[in-house]
Amino acid sequence: MGDSLNNDQAGLGAAVSSSVSRLSLEEKPAEAAPASPQHWTVPDGDVSPSSSSSMTTKELQEYWRAVKSQRKPVKLLFEIPSTRTVEHYPSRYVVYKIVIIKSGSYDDKKVSIERRYTDFERLHQNLLKDFSEELEDLLFPRKRLTCNFTQENINERRMAFQEYLGTLYGMKCIRRSGAFMAFFTHPELKEAYSCLRGGQYAKALGLLMQINDLQEKLTQHSPALRVPTLCALLVCHKDLEDITRACQVGEEALSLLPRNKRHRYKCALLDTLVDLGYELGHDVTHLQEELSEIKEAQKMQTAQLSLKELVVQEFVD
């Protein structure tokens, strides 16, 4: 990059050099990826390793830590391209399709969900409990007394809700709030966990994969929020006898958990990864050491819940 600048802008050498140095400092990640024997190079888009069968458990863990260290802040766009009217006598309502897209680069994981007017209304009421001052100038799209189902009024509300979501996302305190993330994920999570508890692992897996893609976009500020979903994915893969993929997902979940911090899933996750590692013939010494450290630090004397037992407790009404 320096050679190009010297050739093209020789007359600005000192100024350009100073600017480039300052920008380089600003763009450095807060924490560099831990060194590994393979010196992982992570491709754009957080692509999973294509063939984990040749990787040891430790190598997979290093891969996901490298992915984590190279993540950049992601800005999102919310589009509502279409609607549909649902009639279940005696009720009638409009469903809005919301597409969540990364901005600034090609997004190969576009995720869409559907929400009703009442879902938006519930979101707004929940946000008002904690952010009334921030929302005092934001007008919530209202229903009309008549003609709610004319195409003109539906399109008007569709555009208004699209702008509404973009405005909410523009406020840091709101886009990081539990209520905002729950709006996008809780209905599907409830369905997924219900399927999982009922033994419908393939259906639960499909739902959880979509939710995980969405959470990856929404939880850049705190990636560990994805751990419960990743652990549920692990359980589904394991029960569907895809041990290799279960191990991959488990290693990704573990990479999001700092080694020296507690997390309610950590012991059960490590325990499961040790078992999977044995089945796959991986070296699990480092996992056993970490598990022993946690158990010793927490003085664990009673039997702990298994990973599956923890997972099935999520979203129980």
Side-chain angles (χ1 to χ4, degrees):
M1 181 170 156
D3 290 340
S4 176
L5 287 171
N6 287 334
N7 290 335
D8 298 338
Q9 301 180 8
L12 300 175
V16 170
S17 177
S18 172
S19 299
V20 171
S21 298
R22 185 168 63 256
L23 286 170
S24 297
L25 287 171
E26 290 172 352
E27 292 173 358
K28 282 184 178 180
E31 183 178 341
S36 65
Q38 289 72 24
H39 301 289
W40 293 112
T41 299
V42 182
D44 291 339
D46 290 359
V47 179
S48 301
S50 58
S51 176
S52 64
S53 58
S54 62
M55 293 184 181
T56 66
T57 302
K58 188 172 183 179
E59 286 172 339
L60 277 169
Q61 190 174 10
E62 288 168 350
Y63 174 88
W64 288 117
R65 282 177 176 155
V67 169
K68 179 185 176 184
S69 70
Q70 294 188 24
R71 285 195 181 97
K72 297 179 181 179
V74 172
K75 291 185 177 180
L76 302 181
L77 296 176
F78 301 92
E79 295 183 357
I80 304 181
S82 62
T83 63
R84 61 188 179 91
T85 301
V86 178
E87 297 195 41
H88 289 308
Y89 184 82
S91 63
R92 186 184 186 196
Y93 56 88
V94 176
V95 174
Y96 301 84
K97 180 180 180 180
I98 307 168
V99 182
I100 300 93
I101 309 168
K102 290 182 186 177
S103 65
S105 62
Y106 175 71
D107 186 356
D108 61 347
K109 291 183 178 180
K110 292 181 182 178
V111 184
S112 65
I113 57 173
E114 289 188 328
R115 295 294 182 265
R116 298 173 53 178
Y117 183 94
T118 52
D119 296 317
F120 283 97
E121 196 170 39
R122 188 181 304 111
L123 167 65
H124 195 70
Q125 292 303 318
N126 287 337
L127 289 173
L128 283 173
K129 295 173 185 177
D130 297 316
F131 307 107
S132 57
E133 290 185 9
E134 289 83 354
L135 298 175
E136 62 182 357
D137 295 325
L138 179 61
L139 294 177
F140 182 78
R142 298 294 180 187
K143 285 185 176 180
R144 297 176 181 271
L145 293 176
T146 59
C147 303
N148 270 306
F149 295 98
T150 64
Q151 195 58 50
E152 182 181 354
N153 286 336
I154 290 174
N155 283 334
E156 184 180 314
R157 275 200 307 278
R158 177 179 64 82
M159 295 302 296
F161 277 136
Q162 181 170 294
E163 184 178 348
Y164 172 77
L165 290 176
T167 302
L168 292 180
Y169 182 77
M171 295 183 239
K172 183 177 179 180
C173 60
I174 288 180
R175 70 172 174 264
R176 294 186 174 187
S177 68
F180 186 75
M181 285 184 280
F183 170 80
F184 290 96
T185 60
H186 276 201
E188 288 74 17
L189 279 170
K190 288 178 180 178
E191 183 181 358
Y193 279 102
S194 177
C195 291
L196 194 156
R197 282 188 290 271
Q200 297 175 282
Y201 299 115
K203 185 176 180 181
L205 182 65
L207 290 165
L208 289 166
M209 288 175 67
Q210 180 179 13
I211 296 163
N212 182 53
D213 288 343
L214 181 51
Q215 286 180 330
E216 191 174 358
K217 298 171 190 282
L218 293 170
T219 62
Q220 293 292 312
H221 63 288
S222 183
L225 292 172
R226 292 172 53 216
V227 168
T229 300
L230 288 168
C231 287
L233 280 167
L234 185 161
V235 168
C236 289
H237 283 301
K238 188 171 182 291
D239 283 328
L240 291 169
E241 299 183 354
D242 188 349
I243 305 302
T244 299
R245 187 61 186 135
C247 189
Q248 280 185 359
V249 172
E251 290 292 345
E252 183 181 2
L254 188 60
S255 75
L256 302 180
L257 298 175
R259 185 182 177 96
N260 60 343
K261 288 188 178 180
R262 293 187 180 187
H263 190 282
R264 62 195 177 94
Y265 272 90
K266 196 165 191 179
C267 277
L269 176 58
L270 283 166
D271 212 17
T272 301
L273 284 173
V274 168
D275 291 341
L276 292 173
Y278 277 133
E279 288 189 55
L280 293 169
H282 293 171
D283 178 11
V284 296
T285 306
H286 63 294
L287 296 174
Q288 291 173 318
E289 290 174 352
E290 187 172 356
L291 185 58
S292 296
E293 288 174 11
I294 294 173
K295 287 184 175 180
E296 184 177 346
Q298 297 181 12
K299 309 293 182 185
M300 291 184 178
Q301 297 178 350
T302 58
Q304 301 298 304
L305 293 177
S306 69
L307 187 65
K308 188 171 184 177
E309 288 170 334
L310 283 172
V311 165
V312 297
Q313 290 180 8
E314 299 282 355
F315 291 93
V316 177
D317 293 331

